Amino acid sequence: MKRILALTLALALAVFSLAGCSSSKEESSTESSTAETSTAAESSTAAGESSTSAAAGDSDIKIAMITDYGDITDQSFNQTTYEACKAFAESNGFDFTYYKPEGNSTPERVAMVDKAVSDGYNVVVMPGYAFAETITETADTYPDVKFIALDVSQYDLDKSSGEDGYSRDNVYCAVYQEELPGYMAGYYAVASGYTKLGFLGGMAVPAVQRYGYGFVQGADAAAKDLSVSGVEINYAYGNQFYGDNDITAAMATWYNGGTEVVFACGGGIYSSAAEAAAKVNGKVIGVDVDQKAIIDGTYGDGMTITSAMKGLAATVNTLLAAVKDGKWDDYKGQVQTLGLVSGTDMSENYVGLPEDSTVWTDSFTKEDYEALVGKIFDGTITVSNDTSADEPAAENVTVNFQGNLK
């Protein structure tokens, strides 16, 4: 099944290179290797962006996407999901629209599900952990509607529903092994010659923590493997998923103090790192998707050295294809954790670094990266996904943990 689920990754990641990071509170194991109806509904039709074609009238499939507290221009989960749904609908002749809740609450997200179903949409795609309660409040009400959710964990569903092992045949959820691309990014940074690193997370929720703890593990391993001394990592959370003047000031302190590159992980919080980096020719590592075009296009060419990615658009494409092809039964009722599928074909994997836009060096080449992925895949390297500790630990690098900046 993983093989089936991974087939669209390469194309999807190439087409949808947008930014974001969303997360949830969830339990973690210790090792891993390898959303009263209202006028707030904003549809692509209203925006002049209907993706209905002549063939759509003959189809029983109508796709709706509901935003969380952001919108479809957030350069994050919403925009990536929106563009994936829109492109799929256009290429297959399906009706598609999106709905934006009036505010950031479960009742407002539920209202948009009600609106979508009332309007005749029978496939609802929802990005982000905030949709867990929306799912558990609407899935039983609309058993003929298929719900596809990104970054909604079993923990989220159980907590929202009060059930142990919540599952419905009309629901599919995907979560990702963020610790793996985090590890790759940390290893890459140190192996590429950077010794003064930073990790700026959004909120200290497990998906963000997994990215960060993996980043520290990777840097720690590279320092040991390559006998690099003096590696330091400033580590903090902004306690929000957007940048502002206060966080930008903190990032300026980091960069002015010698930090060379910051892994910015948490929605729009990358803007604070990038604004500070632009003043001192600093570097940034993106998150979730390949952020190079976004960050470099706004703040200066050459700023983004790589991105720690997961296949958000690929997940959407694969699940919508399953609906179209009558293969929903292969996925129904599941919460799948997506990560590495191959140790040799990077295009099949749901996590990784972007090979085309990463700034490879003589000390860490694309071939070195592929060898690293191979070792993670075959278990030679194990990466912990345990986020139970209050802060990340390391043996070969110094971590300056600063907690929440705000």
Side-chain angles (χ1 to χ4, degrees), residues 95-162:
D95 232 359
F96 167 69
T97 193
Y98 80 95
Y99 297 84
K100 180 181 177 180
E102 282 189 331
N104 180 25
S105 74
T106 293
E108 287 162 315
R109 286 186 280 272
V110 168
M112 293 300 96
V113 173
D114 293 338
K115 174 64 174 171
V117 176
S118 175
D119 288 345
Y121 291 88
N122 54 17
V123 179
V124 178
V125 183
M126 299 171 287
Y129 74 96
F131 281 98
E133 289 185 359
T134 305
I135 292 171
T136 59
E137 290 190 20
T138 59
D140 290 338
T141 304
Y142 304 115
D144 296 327
V145 175
K146 294 176 174 62
F147 295 92
I148 299 168
L150 306 178
D151 259 19
V152 175
S153 73
Q154 188 66 59
Y155 175 91
D156 297 324
L157 294 172
D158 290 354
K159 181 179 179 181
S160 298
S161 67

Side-chain angles (χ1 to χ4, degrees), residues 216-234:
V216 171
Q217 291 177 68
D220 194 52
K224 178 180 179 181
D225 293 348
L226 305 174
S227 299
V228 179
S229 60
V231 177
E232 297 183 11
I233 305 175
N234 286 327

Side-chain angles (χ1 to χ4, degrees), residues 71-99:
D71 58 38
I72 62 167
T73 62
D74 67 355
Q75 299 180 342
S76 185
F77 266 54
N78 290 303
Q79 187 166 346
T80 303
T81 305
Y82 167 78
E83 295 200 5
C85 290
K86 185 172 183 288
F88 185 92
E90 288 177 340
S91 64
N92 290 279
F94 295 147
D95 232 359
F96 167 69
T97 193
Y98 80 95
Y99 297 84

Side-chain angles (χ1 to χ4, degrees), residues 149-347:
L150 306 178
D151 259 19
V152 175
S153 73
Q154 188 66 59
Y155 175 91
D156 297 324
L157 294 172
D158 290 354
K159 181 179 179 181
S160 298
S161 67
E163 298 181 16
D164 185 13
Y166 177 92
S167 177
R168 297 294 187 271
D169 284 350
N170 59 334
V171 175
Y172 170 87
C173 301
V175 292
Y176 302 86
Q177 291 180 283
E178 292 92 352
E179 69 277 4
L180 301 186
Y183 181 99
M184 298 169 195
Y187 198 102
Y188 156 83
V190 172
S192 296
Y194 297 97
T195 60
K196 307 303 180 185
L197 315 180
F199 175 82
L200 172 63
M203 299 180 72
V205 292
V208 174
Q209 289 177 301
R210 285 194 295 270
Y211 269 126
Y213 287 31
F215 183 71
V216 171
Q217 291 177 68
D220 194 52
K224 178 180 179 181
D225 293 348
L226 305 174
S227 299
V228 179
S229 60
V231 177
E232 297 183 11
I233 305 175
N234 286 327
Y235 192 110
Y237 302 101
N239 204 28
Q240 60 192 39
F241 287 117
Y242 55 90
D244 63 15
N245 291 336
D246 293 334
I247 298 174
T248 300
M251 292 301 98
T253 299
W254 284 11
Y255 281 109
N256 290 331
T259 296
E260 300 164 303
V261 57
V262 172
F263 178 18
C265 176
I269 204 166
Y270 74 86
S271 63
S272 281
E275 287 176 17
K279 297 178 181 179
V280 294
N281 197 32
K283 305 299 180 183
V284 172
I285 294 173
V287 74
D288 283 342
V289 294
D290 185 357
Q291 288 193 295
K292 186 174 182 63
I294 295 166
I295 296 176
D296 286 17
T298 304
Y299 299 98
D301 290 341
M303 179 178 291
T304 311
I305 58 173
T306 193
S307 297
M309 305 188 308
K310 52 189 178 185
L312 305 173
T315 309
V316 171
N317 288 348
T318 302
L319 268 295
L320 292 180
V323 174
K324 177 180 76 73
D325 297 336
K327 297 181 179 179
W328 178 256
D329 285 352
D330 292 342
Y331 304 95
K332 67 181 183 182
Q334 298 183 47
V335 178
Q336 289 190 325
T337 301
L338 307 179
L340 295 181
V341 178
S342 173
T344 56
D345 187 347
M346 303 300 103
S347 70

Side-chain angles (χ1 to χ4, degrees), residues 2 26-34 175-184 206-207 209-211 213-215 217-218 337-341 351 372-387:
K2 286 184 178 179
E26 61 185 89
E27 297 171 335
S28 62
S29 58
T30 57
E31 299 292 333
S32 67
S33 60
T34 1
V175 292
Y176 302 86
Q177 291 180 283
E178 292 92 352
E179 69 277 4
L180 301 186
Y183 181 99
M184 298 169 195
Q209 289 177 301
R210 285 194 295 270
Y211 269 126
Y213 287 31
F215 183 71
Q217 291 177 68
T337 301
L338 307 179
L340 295 181
V341 178
V351 295
L372 180 69
V373 174
K375 290 179 181 179
I376 299 173
F377 180 74
D378 68 20
T380 302
I381 295 173
T382 57
V383 184
S384 174
N385 68 354
D386 184 4
T387 60

